[in-house]
Amino acid sequence: LVLTFFRGSWWPYCNAELEALQTIHQDIVDQGATLLAVSPSRPEFARQIAKKNNLTIPILMDPGNDLAAKFGLVFTLPDELREVYLAFGIDLERHNGNPSWALPMPACYIIGEDGTILDAAVNVDHTSRPEPQDTLRKLRTLTGQ
């Protein structure tokens, strides 16, 4: 399983990441793996990002960031950043359907069939995401193909 966490359709880096992952989606499937994307966004926003970017990658809803929290990825935006986000028209309460203003750090995991995390790429810098080809190369190494 290749599992990627993203913030939402409102964030350009997330859109770019999902577009890039779409280019290797079939390669991941050809390796015998599944690619899933996880977001705290409400379903209608996930549908928007899928349609906008012609995604075939399944997007899972993580209301309240419950799954992201289990991976230790969740942080809450400080009040001063909330005002900045709102000034740009980004209302996380509306997008995520809850008042927490919590987001997952961008992360990509490769998880074995037994549930073991075989590789993790997590970065607090939201602009730094693993290159899709690097993820594919790691997957190929791990599957021996």
Side-chain angles (χ1 to χ4, degrees), residues 15-16 19 30 32 37 49 55 85 89 109 114 122 132:
N15 282 284
E19 285 179 47
D30 292 346
I49 196 171
L55 300 179
Y85 274 53
Y109 295 92
D114 64 355
V122 181

Side-chain angles (χ1 to χ4, degrees), residues 4-131:
T4 186
F5 289 85
F6 72 100
R7 294 175 176 199
S9 61
W10 49 269
W11 199 241
Y13 288 97
C14 293
N15 282 284
E17 176 185 26
L18 290 173
E19 285 179 47
L21 285 170
Q22 181 61 47
T23 67
I24 65 162
H25 184 203
Q26 188 58 51
D27 296 316
I28 289 172
V29 171
D30 292 346
Q31 293 298 308
T34 300
L35 172 61
L36 297 175
V38 180
S39 172
S41 294
R42 291 179 14 217
E44 60 267 29
F45 295 111
R47 284 190 295 273
Q48 284 176 359
I49 196 171
K51 184 176 180 181
K52 175 183 172 187
N53 296 307
N54 296 313
L55 300 179
T56 59
I57 302 165
I59 299 175
L60 304 179
M61 304 302 95
D62 186 19
N65 286 294
D66 294 336
L67 181 61
K70 290 179 180 176
F71 281 84
L73 300 174
V74 179
F75 70 98
T76 301
L77 278 141
D79 291 340
E80 58 272 8
L81 275 182
R82 293 177 193 192
E83 296 305 317
V84 172
Y85 274 53
L86 287 169
F88 282 107
I90 302 167
D91 183 349
L92 290 184
E93 287 187 45
R94 185 172 70 86
H95 277 276
N96 294 349
N98 69 58
S100 71
W101 283 82
L103 292 171
M105 286 185 284
C108 185
Y109 295 92
I110 299 175
I111 302 171
E113 289 181 22
D114 64 355
T116 302
I117 295 174
L118 304 173
D119 187 75
V122 181
N123 197 323
V124 295
D125 178 357
H126 66 89
T127 65
S128 179
R129 314 284 173 104
E131 288 295 325

